[in-house]
């Protein structure tokens, strides 16, 4: 058997100790038993912005945010000096050459 706990938690990306993670999971599970599907309510009552249960490398993971997540970076815009990709991914036929 492994020394590693099957329960993990992070707060703003920082991992909690196994003991802290177990405590958080216990409180989260108790709340969810009493208020089915209300993870947002648990977050609010605990002073968090969000709490999301997920899995990571075979472990149950609670991802806790105490601040709003940073906005996602916008998708890169096509460069003006390059033509847009052609549908189908094919190359442009060479000019002046016919077969």
């Amino acid at each position: 058997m492994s020394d590693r706990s099957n329960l993990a938690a992070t707060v703003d990306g920082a991992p909690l100790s196994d003991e802290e993670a177990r405590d958080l999971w216990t409180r989260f599970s108790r709340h969810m038993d009493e208020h089915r599907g209300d993870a947002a309510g648990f977050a609010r009552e605990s002073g968090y912005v969000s709490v999301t249960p997920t899995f990571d490398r075979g472990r149950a993971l609670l991802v806790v945010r105490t601040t709003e997540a940073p906005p996602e970076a916008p998708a890169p815009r096509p460069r003006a000096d390059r033509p847009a990709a052609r549908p189908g991914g094919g190359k442009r036929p060479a000019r002046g050459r016919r077969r």
Side-chain angles (χ1 to χ4, degrees), residues 37-53:
D38 187 26
F42 175 78
R44 227 179 1 267
E45 288 176 9
S46 301
Y48 305 133
V49 170
S50 68
V51 176
T52 306

Side-chain angles (χ1 to χ4, degrees), residues 3-9 15-25 59:
D3 289 340
R4 190 175 88 152
S5 172
N6 288 330
L7 299 175
L16 297 181
S17 71
D18 285 347
E19 185 176 324
E20 292 171 314
R22 263 191 310 277
D23 177 60
L24 182 58
W25 269 104
R59 299 172 85 183

Side-chain angles (χ1 to χ4, degrees), residues 48-81:
Y48 305 133
V49 170
S50 68
V51 176
T52 306
T54 188
F55 284 94
D56 181 47
R57 291 176 252 158
R59 299 172 85 183
L61 174 66
L62 271 182
V63 178
V64 176
R65 302 236 12 119
T66 61
T67 60
E68 291 294 327
E72 290 186 27
R77 295 177 62 173
R79 292 179 34 191
D81 60 337

